[in-house]
Every structure is written in structure tokens, then in C-alpha cells.
Amino acid sequence: MALLVNEGMRYPFRGDRSPDLLATGGLLGLVAAMTLQLTSVSHSLPLAVVFLALGTVPVVALLGYLFRVVATTIDGADTPPGFRPVGTVFRDGCRLLAVTLGYAAVGGVIVAATVGGLLQVPVSADSLGFAGSLLFFTGTTVVLVLVVTVGYVYPAAVGYVATGGRLAGAADVHRYVPILGHSGYFMAWTFAALFVVPGWAFLLAALSRATAFGVVAIFVAFYAHVVAARLVARGYRSAVEDAAGSID
């Protein structure tokens, strides 16, 4: 597993044009961050809509590139792909965005329903302190488990779509049972999470304010997401090879 992580960390620097790829990804991230910041501070709704629309363009391009990393890794490529052809990147970005929004919506509904159900539990005034603590612990535990579960299934759905599967099939979890139960996928997903979570932290830091650290954070976040995509795609490929065609 250490070799897997080491290979993933070196992956973005492979190839003849790796500096160009990292620069392109970072610059797209900077454009997205600036437009989203302008959206949040704009006092005019039409202007905010314009900034938001402009910000979605680089976001979709970045999603398309990550989708391409997953697809080429599953196909057996050992070097990172380029951003060209641009049209394909945007098409793949839209596909990944659709899968992401779908799983985010499902996770949000489940979490909201769980929290709402826990809030409906009657609590007497005498046991408010103990029951309140118990409900809080139970609620946060259930929410965490649900979020992790959705996050565990989500890369398998992306892998399915990246290998030619239909978008509608991404919602059929039964297709991924051989993948989800594979030890290689589990380990790859775990190590990928160790890069994604800090990557999100750097993204939040970059979006919070326009500073020099925020600029650096954008490039670090792009690198972290590329590594995570590479790792989870390798886990998916290993699971598919061992499953020997047990998913459609």
C-alpha cells in the first residue's frame, strides 16, 4: 500500500508536460475562486448570476480533467492526461458534475431525514440534559456514517461512468457490490480520502479570502485531487480485474 501512495504522489509529475498540467489546473482553480468570491460580494443579483455562470466554466473543466484521470487510469495509463481536446473535457466535466450532484442530493436528503427524525423524539424536561447529549451523539454518528457511506459509493459510480456506463446506471448501487467489497478498492479509497480532505481544507482557505496563501492553496488542492483520483481509480481497476466482469 505504501507503494500505491508513493506512485499516486508521483503521478502528477510524470510525463513531459507535467508543469504545464499543474499550471493549467491551478490557473483554472484561481479563475474559479475569484469569480466565486466576486459572486459572494456582489450586491446586484444579475451581476452575481453572471459571475456564478463564469465560475462554473473552470469548475466544469477541472471536473472533466479529474474524470479523465479516472478513465485513463482504469484503462491502464501511467502518465497523466492532458486537458485537450477541450470539448471532451467539458463534456466529461458535465457528466461528473451530474453524478456528483446526484449523490450529493441523495446524501443531503438522507441526512436531513435522519436529523429531522431524531429531533422529533420526545424528551422530557427532567431528562433533557442526558437525552440531549444522547441525541446529539447519535445524530452526529448516524450523519457521519451516512456521509462516509455515500462518499464510499460515489467513486465507484464515477468509475462506472468513466468506463462507458450510462449516467442512469450510476444510481444502481447493486452494480458496484463486487467493487465496494474489494479490499483493494477499500484501501485505495482510504488513502485517497487522506488527500481529498486536506484538499478541501485548502480549497476553503483559498475561497475564504484573496491572499498569497490562497493562491498556493489552489495549486495544492488541484494536486491533492489529482492524486486522489489516481488512487481511487487504481483501486477500482484492481477490483474490476478481480471481479472478472461481475458488473455490467
Side-chain angles (χ1 to χ4, degrees), residues 60-104:
V60 171
L62 289 170
L63 290 175
Y65 183 76
L66 294 178
F67 187 90
R68 184 173 290 178
V69 169
V70 172
T72 55
T73 296
I74 295 175
D75 285 341
D78 292 326
T79 57
F83 277 89
R84 295 181 179 180
V86 177
T88 306
V89 166
F90 281 102
R91 184 196 66 186
D92 292 340
C94 291
R95 298 172 70 190
L96 180 54
L97 181 62
V99 176
T100 303
L101 292 178
Y103 272 83

Side-chain angles (χ1 to χ4, degrees), residues 94-201:
C94 291
R95 298 172 70 190
L96 180 54
L97 181 62
V99 176
T100 303
L101 292 178
Y103 272 83
V106 171
V109 170
I110 294 176
V111 169
T114 303
V115 174
L118 291 173
L119 292 177
Q120 297 300 319
V121 177
V123 180
S124 63
D126 295 335
S127 60
L128 181 61
F130 173 77
S133 300
L134 181 61
L135 282 175
F136 176 78
F137 174 78
T138 302
T140 53
T141 301
V142 171
V143 169
L144 178 61
V145 170
L146 290 172
V147 169
V148 171
T149 301
V150 173
Y152 186 70
V153 177
Y154 165 74
V158 175
Y160 170 76
V161 177
T163 52
R166 297 181 302 172
L167 282 175
D172 187 2
V173 181
H174 293 91
R175 297 177 182 270
Y176 319 128
V177 172
I179 305 297
L180 302 177
H182 192 270
S183 60
Y185 176 81
F186 172 76
M187 294 302 297
W189 180 88
T190 302
F191 286 120
L194 297 179
F195 286 91
V196 167
V197 174
W200 290 343

